[in-house]
Amino acid sequence: MTAVELRDVSKSFAETRAVDRLDLTVAEGEFLILVGPSGCGKTTALRMIAGLEEVTSGEIRIDGRVVNELPPARRDIAMVFQNYALYPNMTVADNIGFPLRRQRVRGAELRGRVAEVARILDIEPLLGRKPSQLSGGQRQRVAIGRALVRRPKAFLMDEPLSNLDAKLRVQMRAELLTLHRRLGITTVYVTHDQTEAMTLGDRVLVLAGGRAQQLDSPQRLYRSPANTFVATFIGSPSMNLLQGCVRGGELAVGPAWLGPVDAPDGDVTVGVRPEDFVVADGGPLDAHVEFVEDLGPETLVHFRASGIDRIVDGEGAAKLLVARLSSGRPPRAGEQRRFWADPRKVTLFDPATGLAIEQPR
Ligand code: ATP
């Protein structure tokens, strides 16, 4: 069943088109991520679902009912923000119970529901403390508890982990996943962090300039990006985009012929994931290794390939190609080596539109 649905939803602030004709359906129990660069409209989209922002045009449904005119309190959803906004003078128990008290829930039922949430989140020993006596992760758990206690139809989360340090973020990510598996509450989650998007989401919607770019599973976003924006936004280091062409069924980047490819003749943009480059004696790419990053289990090799242009907006180091090598003896900085990329693993894009060219896999 569909829990949340956006039909042709747009939002303008004066001249700014923050969200542009967005269609989206979130299935019941799904964990859906909205991801994109700063200013792409993800918070605005979430706030419209919550009822904190009016839509300029289009329709929003929750549980099949049009909610465009309903105030936030009547939409039966709960929001968790980046800044947890706990009440500093209240105990953890009172913070969690606050939404229930507003609904006039009192006495044993109130205490029982707060205790249940505290047990789920493993914060029972903290119920008597004030927010100032908690760590960042514990505070975030209390904020989630306060949302959970209402038993909402859906959770809306806006960068809820971005105030935490890197280690705690990883831990809280795992906790959110476990919680979602146990409770199955429909969740729409906003982040600009593609790792978070890829690890948490059942499906991920990539937004740019207020427009949907691709809505897909994390694996498909990574392996079959719909356009060059998604190709370079998802994955770190980014996919290498190179100017190339297909002639007589053979794929070339610059002067280097990579091999046969199932695509019509013409100019193409060739997308190569860093892990799809291999060092190959006698390979077609003549490369000068500029610098190497040893990350332990893998090595990032940044190289310049003669006659090959990388398509990037930036300058300097971004002009270099990057390979991710996980075994063998990686090349060293300053060496001249040969590389190859298997044409069956690359993604081809139309250089005029940036859209992926369908290839049989
Ligand atoms: P970030 O990751 O930086 O929070 P975002 O993807 O969540 O970005 P939004 O906050 O949704 O982006 O903003 C989308 C666009 O709408 C931006 O250009 C922003 O400046 C504009 N915008 C958002 N809120 C308002 C507002 N209240 N008034 C005017 N413009 C706004």
Side-chain angles (χ1 to χ4, degrees):
M1 214 179 109
T2 301
V4 178
E5 186 174 6
L6 276 66
R7 280 193 197 164
D8 204 15
V9 169
S10 296
K11 174 72 186 180
S12 299
F13 296 103
E15 300 295 290
T16 310
R17 190 85 156 162
V19 172
D20 196 7
R21 310 203 64 175
L22 185 59
D23 285 310
L24 175 66
T25 52
V26 188
E28 192 154 334
E30 187 173 22
F31 202 124
L32 186 122
I33 308 271
L34 302 180
V35 70
S38 183
C40 72
K42 44 197 192 300
T43 295
T44 303
L46 200 73
R47 287 173 57 84
M48 286 193 288
I49 300 172
L52 299 172
E53 209 73 77
E54 267 183 40
V55 307
T56 305
S57 62
E59 204 171 80
I60 299 182
R61 290 169 184 257
I62 295 176
D63 242 12
R65 188 164 63 134
V66 179
V67 296
N68 285 37
E69 304 300 328
L70 278 191
R74 293 188 47 212
R75 294 194 181 194
D76 208 4
I77 38 145
M79 267 193 96
V80 182
F81 296 98
Q82 172 180 345
N83 49 355
Y84 333 115
L86 298 177
Y87 298 105
N89 299 325
M90 289 186 195
T91 61
V92 167
D94 287 343
N95 264 287
I96 294 176
F98 186 77
L100 294 182
R101 282 200 304 280
R102 284 221 332 215
Q103 293 172 0
R104 311 208 178 285
V105 178
R106 297 278 187 276
E109 187 185 349
L110 174 71
R111 285 194 300 277
R113 281 173 67 176
V114 169
E116 180 195 8
V117 164
R119 196 170 54 249
I120 290 170
L121 293 168
D122 204 15
I123 50 175
E124 288 161 296
L126 310 177
L127 284 173
R129 289 200 200 166
K130 297 273 176 63
S132 61
Q133 298 166 312
L134 302 176
S135 71
Q138 289 167 335
R139 258 179 250 164
Q140 188 57 316
R141 246 171 276 169
V142 175
I144 291 170
R146 194 174 54 183
L148 201 58
V149 80
R150 290 170 46 193
R151 299 177 182 155
K153 284 222 175 65
F155 259 149
L156 305 180
M157 300 197 178
D158 191 355
E159 308 246 8
L161 308 185
S162 58
N163 280 354
L164 306 178
D165 68 42
K167 200 170 153 204
L168 198 52
R169 249 193 338 256
V170 175
Q171 186 192 331
M172 284 300 293
R173 225 157 58 201
E175 286 186 16
L176 278 180
L177 265 182
T178 311
L179 195 65
H180 182 257
R181 274 202 203 108
R182 272 176 60 194
L183 304 178
I185 298 179
T186 310
T187 305
V188 184
Y189 186 107
V190 161
T191 180
H192 66 273
D193 177 343
Q194 50 109 359
T195 311
E196 219 163 273
M198 299 295 276
T199 49
L200 279 174
D202 294 321
R203 287 188 308 156
V204 178
L205 173 66
V206 181
L207 284 167
R211 293 207 171 175
Q213 303 295 311
Q214 189 171 358
L215 171 61
D216 237 321
S217 67
Q219 293 75 13
R220 282 194 48 84
L221 284 181
Y222 191 76
R223 274 290 141 212
S224 305
N227 58 34
T228 50
F229 178 84
V230 176
T232 50
F233 186 75
I234 299 288
S236 178
S238 287
M239 183 182 259
N240 301 272
L241 293 183
L242 313 171
Q243 283 175 10
C245 68
V246 180
R247 296 279 181 270
E250 295 272 325
L251 178 64
V253 285
W257 292 93
L258 299 181
V261 74
D262 203 344
D265 280 11
D267 288 346
V268 287
T269 297
V270 182
V272 187
R273 289 278 176 214
E275 59 274 23
D276 292 332
F277 275 124
V278 290
V279 178
D281 288 340
L285 276 82
D286 182 18
H288 183 260
V289 177
E290 298 283 333
F291 69 99
V292 171
E293 293 173 276
D294 184 351
L295 304 178
E298 61 186 27
T299 307
L300 301 180
V301 177
H302 300 261
F303 62 96
R304 218 172 269 280
S306 53
I308 293 176
D309 290 323
R310 182 168 178 177
I311 303 162
V312 279
D313 298 331
E315 295 287 313
K319 284 269 185 208
L320 299 179
L321 279 57
V322 59
R324 175 189 275 135
L325 305 175
S326 56
S327 58
R329 229 171 29 82
R332 299 215 189 116
E335 283 180 356
Q336 200 72 26
R337 299 293 289 266
R338 313 289 297 195
F339 283 79
W340 181 57
D342 187 338
R344 286 166 302 187
K345 292 187 176 166
V346 306
T347 310
L348 301 182
F349 302 93
D350 180 331
T353 62
L355 296 177
I357 299 169
E358 281 295 326
Q359 282 176 278
R361 298 245 178 221

mmCIF file of all heavy atoms in Angstrom, residues 333-360:
data_model
loop_
_atom_site.group_PDB
_atom_site.id
_atom_site.type_symbol
_atom_site.label_atom_id
_atom_site.label_comp_id
_atom_site.label_asym_id
_atom_site.label_seq_id
_atom_site.Cartn_x
_atom_site.Cartn_y
_atom_site.Cartn_z
ATOM 1 N N ALA A 333 53.742 6.696 -7.282
ATOM 2 C CA ALA A 333 53.731 8.036 -7.869
ATOM 3 C C ALA A 333 54.943 8.205 -8.778
ATOM 4 O O ALA A 333 56.046 7.749 -8.444
ATOM 5 C CB ALA A 333 53.756 9.088 -6.759
ATOM 6 N N GLY A 334 54.757 8.817 -9.934
ATOM 7 C CA GLY A 334 55.855 9.077 -10.863
ATOM 8 C C GLY A 334 56.021 7.992 -11.915
ATOM 9 O O GLY A 334 56.710 8.200 -12.915
ATOM 10 N N GLU A 335 55.406 6.816 -11.700
ATOM 11 C CA GLU A 335 55.578 5.729 -12.669
ATOM 12 C C GLU A 335 54.725 5.958 -13.922
ATOM 13 O O GLU A 335 53.681 6.592 -13.864
ATOM 14 C CB GLU A 335 55.161 4.384 -12.050
ATOM 15 C CG GLU A 335 56.190 3.813 -11.104
ATOM 16 C CD GLU A 335 55.753 2.471 -10.509
ATOM 17 O OE1 GLU A 335 54.634 2.013 -10.764
ATOM 18 O OE2 GLU A 335 56.560 1.909 -9.768
ATOM 19 N N GLN A 336 55.196 5.391 -15.030
ATOM 20 C CA GLN A 336 54.432 5.374 -16.273
ATOM 21 C C GLN A 336 53.858 3.967 -16.409
ATOM 22 O O GLN A 336 54.610 3.003 -16.411
ATOM 23 C CB GLN A 336 55.383 5.712 -17.442
ATOM 24 C CG GLN A 336 54.710 6.192 -18.702
ATOM 25 C CD GLN A 336 54.127 7.600 -18.588
ATOM 26 O OE1 GLN A 336 54.599 8.399 -17.783
ATOM 27 N NE2 GLN A 336 53.098 7.888 -19.372
ATOM 28 N N ARG A 337 52.541 3.827 -16.425
ATOM 29 C CA ARG A 337 51.931 2.488 -16.472
ATOM 30 C C ARG A 337 50.835 2.431 -17.517
ATOM 31 O O ARG A 337 50.372 3.457 -18.008
ATOM 32 C CB ARG A 337 51.329 2.126 -15.094
ATOM 33 C CG ARG A 337 52.328 2.083 -13.972
ATOM 34 C CD ARG A 337 53.324 0.952 -14.121
ATOM 35 N NE ARG A 337 52.739 -0.355 -13.905
ATOM 36 C CZ ARG A 337 52.751 -0.990 -12.734
ATOM 37 N NH1 ARG A 337 53.344 -0.461 -11.687
ATOM 38 N NH2 ARG A 337 52.198 -2.185 -12.616
ATOM 39 N N ARG A 338 50.395 1.216 -17.850
ATOM 40 C CA ARG A 338 49.286 1.051 -18.795
ATOM 41 C C ARG A 338 48.039 0.594 -18.019
ATOM 42 O O ARG A 338 48.140 -0.255 -17.127
ATOM 43 C CB ARG A 338 49.610 0.001 -19.867
ATOM 44 C CG ARG A 338 50.954 0.098 -20.524
ATOM 45 C CD ARG A 338 51.116 1.258 -21.439
ATOM 46 N NE ARG A 338 50.224 1.260 -22.585
ATOM 47 C CZ ARG A 338 50.399 2.038 -23.659
ATOM 48 N NH1 ARG A 338 51.460 2.851 -23.726
ATOM 49 N NH2 ARG A 338 49.552 2.018 -24.643
ATOM 50 N N PHE A 339 46.909 1.174 -18.363
ATOM 51 C CA PHE A 339 45.632 0.812 -17.736
ATOM 52 C C PHE A 339 44.646 0.369 -18.803
ATOM 53 O O PHE A 339 44.799 0.677 -19.987
ATOM 54 C CB PHE A 339 45.027 2.024 -16.995
ATOM 55 C CG PHE A 339 45.678 2.333 -15.679
ATOM 56 C CD1 PHE A 339 46.880 3.019 -15.619
ATOM 57 C CD2 PHE A 339 45.064 1.966 -14.490
ATOM 58 C CE1 PHE A 339 47.474 3.320 -14.407
ATOM 59 C CE2 PHE A 339 45.643 2.271 -13.269
ATOM 60 C CZ PHE A 339 46.851 2.947 -13.221
ATOM 61 N N TRP A 340 43.595 -0.303 -18.344
ATOM 62 C CA TRP A 340 42.501 -0.697 -19.223
ATOM 63 C C TRP A 340 41.192 -0.638 -18.434
ATOM 64 O O TRP A 340 41.189 -0.792 -17.209
ATOM 65 C CB TRP A 340 42.718 -2.137 -19.735
ATOM 66 C CG TRP A 340 41.644 -2.642 -20.672
ATOM 67 C CD1 TRP A 340 41.243 -2.080 -21.838
ATOM 68 C CD2 TRP A 340 40.837 -3.818 -20.493
ATOM 69 N NE1 TRP A 340 40.244 -2.824 -22.418
ATOM 70 C CE2 TRP A 340 39.972 -3.908 -21.622
ATOM 71 C CE3 TRP A 340 40.763 -4.807 -19.516
ATOM 72 C CZ2 TRP A 340 39.038 -4.937 -21.773
ATOM 73 C CZ3 TRP A 340 39.840 -5.843 -19.672
ATOM 74 C CH2 TRP A 340 38.991 -5.905 -20.798
ATOM 75 N N ALA A 341 40.096 -0.387 -19.125
ATOM 76 C CA ALA A 341 38.758 -0.514 -18.523
ATOM 77 C C ALA A 341 37.933 -1.379 -19.465
ATOM 78 O O ALA A 341 37.892 -1.120 -20.674
ATOM 79 C CB ALA A 341 38.118 0.853 -18.362
ATOM 80 N N ASP A 342 37.324 -2.411 -18.910
ATOM 81 C CA ASP A 342 36.517 -3.338 -19.708
ATOM 82 C C ASP A 342 35.272 -2.613 -20.228
ATOM 83 O O ASP A 342 34.469 -2.125 -19.427
ATOM 84 C CB ASP A 342 36.111 -4.517 -18.804
ATOM 85 C CG ASP A 342 35.411 -5.617 -19.583
ATOM 86 O OD1 ASP A 342 34.874 -5.325 -20.669
ATOM 87 O OD2 ASP A 342 35.395 -6.754 -19.075
ATOM 88 N N PRO A 343 35.100 -2.538 -21.553
ATOM 89 C CA PRO A 343 33.943 -1.791 -22.085
ATOM 90 C C PRO A 343 32.596 -2.374 -21.650
ATOM 91 O O PRO A 343 31.598 -1.672 -21.675
ATOM 92 C CB PRO A 343 34.102 -1.885 -23.604
ATOM 93 C CG PRO A 343 35.258 -2.743 -23.871
ATOM 94 C CD PRO A 343 35.959 -3.077 -22.601
ATOM 95 N N ARG A 344 32.582 -3.639 -21.209
ATOM 96 C CA ARG A 344 31.312 -4.209 -20.742
ATOM 97 C C ARG A 344 30.925 -3.659 -19.375
ATOM 98 O O ARG A 344 29.799 -3.813 -18.917
ATOM 99 C CB ARG A 344 31.406 -5.737 -20.666
ATOM 100 C CG ARG A 344 31.367 -6.391 -22.041
ATOM 101 C CD ARG A 344 31.803 -7.818 -21.967
ATOM 102 N NE ARG A 344 33.160 -7.928 -21.410
ATOM 103 C CZ ARG A 344 33.865 -9.044 -21.336
ATOM 104 N NH1 ARG A 344 33.349 -10.168 -21.764
ATOM 105 N NH2 ARG A 344 35.081 -9.049 -20.829
ATOM 106 N N LYS A 345 31.877 -3.026 -18.681
ATOM 107 C CA LYS A 345 31.572 -2.501 -17.346
ATOM 108 C C LYS A 345 31.327 -0.995 -17.339
ATOM 109 O O LYS A 345 30.875 -0.453 -16.343
ATOM 110 C CB LYS A 345 32.732 -2.824 -16.395
ATOM 111 C CG LYS A 345 32.847 -4.298 -16.117
ATOM 112 C CD LYS A 345 33.883 -4.549 -15.053
ATOM 113 C CE LYS A 345 33.938 -6.023 -14.703
ATOM 114 N NZ LYS A 345 35.138 -6.341 -13.933
ATOM 115 N N VAL A 346 31.660 -0.315 -18.407
ATOM 116 C CA VAL A 346 31.502 1.146 -18.402
ATOM 117 C C VAL A 346 30.040 1.517 -18.655
ATOM 118 O O VAL A 346 29.238 0.699 -19.102
ATOM 119 C CB VAL A 346 32.395 1.837 -19.460
ATOM 120 C CG1 VAL A 346 33.844 1.425 -19.297
ATOM 121 C CG2 VAL A 346 31.886 1.570 -20.868
ATOM 122 N N THR A 347 29.698 2.759 -18.315
ATOM 123 C CA THR A 347 28.368 3.286 -18.640
ATOM 124 C C THR A 347 28.551 4.354 -19.713
ATOM 125 O O THR A 347 29.441 5.200 -19.593
ATOM 126 C CB THR A 347 27.721 3.922 -17.390
ATOM 127 O OG1 THR A 347 27.818 2.991 -16.307
ATOM 128 C CG2 THR A 347 26.258 4.245 -17.626
ATOM 129 N N LEU A 348 27.706 4.288 -20.739
ATOM 130 C CA LEU A 348 27.807 5.276 -21.816
ATOM 131 C C LEU A 348 26.678 6.289 -21.702
ATOM 132 O O LEU A 348 25.539 5.929 -21.368
ATOM 133 C CB LEU A 348 27.735 4.586 -23.187
ATOM 134 C CG LEU A 348 28.810 3.538 -23.470
ATOM 135 C CD1 LEU A 348 28.632 2.993 -24.888
ATOM 136 C CD2 LEU A 348 30.208 4.118 -23.298
ATOM 137 N N PHE A 349 27.023 7.562 -21.958
ATOM 138 C CA PHE A 349 26.032 8.630 -21.906
ATOM 139 C C PHE A 349 26.052 9.392 -23.228
ATOM 140 O O PHE A 349 27.100 9.501 -23.886
ATOM 141 C CB PHE A 349 26.357 9.604 -20.769
ATOM 142 C CG PHE A 349 26.430 8.955 -19.413
ATOM 143 C CD1 PHE A 349 27.651 8.507 -18.908
ATOM 144 C CD2 PHE A 349 25.291 8.801 -18.639
ATOM 145 C CE1 PHE A 349 27.729 7.910 -17.662
ATOM 146 C CE2 PHE A 349 25.362 8.204 -17.387
ATOM 147 C CZ PHE A 349 26.577 7.757 -16.894
ATOM 148 N N ASP A 350 24.881 9.941 -23.562
ATOM 149 C CA ASP A 350 24.782 10.824 -24.716
ATOM 150 C C ASP A 350 25.425 12.162 -24.329
ATOM 151 O O ASP A 350 24.983 12.803 -23.376
ATOM 152 C CB ASP A 350 23.287 11.019 -25.047
ATOM 153 C CG ASP A 350 23.073 11.918 -26.245
ATOM 154 O OD1 ASP A 350 23.916 12.803 -26.497
ATOM 155 O OD2 ASP A 350 22.047 11.748 -26.925
ATOM 156 N N PRO A 351 26.488 12.594 -25.041
ATOM 157 C CA PRO A 351 27.175 13.819 -24.617
ATOM 158 C C PRO A 351 26.289 15.068 -24.735
ATOM 159 O O PRO A 351 26.513 16.047 -24.026
ATOM 160 C CB PRO A 351 28.386 13.931 -25.552
ATOM 161 C CG PRO A 351 28.219 12.897 -26.593
ATOM 162 C CD PRO A 351 27.099 11.969 -26.209
ATOM 163 N N ALA A 352 25.260 15.022 -25.575
ATOM 164 C CA ALA A 352 24.400 16.199 -25.746
ATOM 165 C C ALA A 352 23.400 16.334 -24.596
ATOM 166 O O ALA A 352 23.182 17.425 -24.078
ATOM 167 C CB ALA A 352 23.659 16.107 -27.078
ATOM 168 N N THR A 353 22.822 15.212 -24.162
ATOM 169 C CA THR A 353 21.765 15.285 -23.141
ATOM 170 C C THR A 353 22.247 14.851 -21.758
ATOM 171 O O THR A 353 21.609 15.148 -20.749
ATOM 172 C CB THR A 353 20.596 14.350 -23.507
ATOM 173 O OG1 THR A 353 21.102 12.998 -23.539
ATOM 174 C CG2 THR A 353 20.004 14.712 -24.865
ATOM 175 N N GLY A 354 23.352 14.130 -21.692
ATOM 176 C CA GLY A 354 23.830 13.588 -20.416
ATOM 177 C C GLY A 354 23.076 12.342 -19.976
ATOM 178 O O GLY A 354 23.342 11.787 -18.918
ATOM 179 N N LEU A 355 22.120 11.874 -20.798
ATOM 180 C CA LEU A 355 21.333 10.697 -20.412
ATOM 181 C C LEU A 355 22.075 9.411 -20.762
ATOM 182 O O LEU A 355 22.798 9.351 -21.769
ATOM 183 C CB LEU A 355 19.980 10.699 -21.137
ATOM 184 C CG LEU A 355 19.045 11.860 -20.803
ATOM 185 C CD1 LEU A 355 17.779 11.773 -21.644
ATOM 186 C CD2 LEU A 355 18.698 11.865 -19.315
ATOM 187 N N ALA A 356 21.873 8.397 -19.939
ATOM 188 C CA ALA A 356 22.537 7.114 -20.179
ATOM 189 C C ALA A 356 22.021 6.484 -21.468
ATOM 190 O O ALA A 356 20.842 6.615 -21.810
ATOM 191 C CB ALA A 356 22.278 6.179 -18.996
ATOM 192 N N ILE A 357 22.912 5.824 -22.184
ATOM 193 C CA ILE A 357 22.529 5.067 -23.376
ATOM 194 C C ILE A 357 22.318 3.635 -22.922
ATOM 195 O O ILE A 357 23.215 3.039 -22.307
ATOM 196 C CB ILE A 357 23.658 5.130 -24.444
ATOM 197 C CG1 ILE A 357 23.887 6.590 -24.862
ATOM 198 C CG2 ILE A 357 23.342 4.237 -25.625
ATOM 199 C CD1 ILE A 357 25.142 6.797 -25.704
ATOM 200 N N GLU A 358 21.125 3.121 -23.146
ATOM 201 C CA GLU A 358 20.796 1.752 -22.698
ATOM 202 C C GLU A 358 21.787 0.761 -23.305
ATOM 203 O O GLU A 358 22.039 0.781 -24.504
ATOM 204 C CB GLU A 358 19.387 1.372 -23.160
ATOM 205 C CG GLU A 358 18.282 1.955 -22.312
ATOM 206 C CD GLU A 358 18.281 1.416 -20.869
ATOM 207 O OE1 GLU A 358 18.626 0.229 -20.695
ATOM 208 O OE2 GLU A 358 17.966 2.197 -19.958
ATOM 209 N N GLN A 359 22.327 -0.091 -22.436
ATOM 210 C CA GLN A 359 23.231 -1.128 -22.930
ATOM 211 C C GLN A 359 22.816 -2.455 -22.348
ATOM 212 O O GLN A 359 22.518 -2.528 -21.158
ATOM 213 C CB GLN A 359 24.654 -0.852 -22.468
ATOM 214 C CG GLN A 359 25.367 0.204 -23.250
ATOM 215 C CD GLN A 359 26.706 0.422 -22.615
ATOM 216 O OE1 GLN A 359 26.831 1.135 -21.639
ATOM 217 N NE2 GLN A 359 27.707 -0.254 -23.142
ATOM 218 N N PRO A 360 22.816 -3.503 -23.158
ATOM 219 C CA PRO A 360 22.515 -4.813 -22.566
ATOM 220 C C PRO A 360 23.646 -5.204 -21.620
ATOM 221 O O PRO A 360 24.812 -4.968 -21.928
ATOM 222 C CB PRO A 360 22.460 -5.737 -23.782
ATOM 223 C CG PRO A 360 23.105 -5.013 -24.904
ATOM 224 C CD PRO A 360 23.100 -3.555 -24.582
#
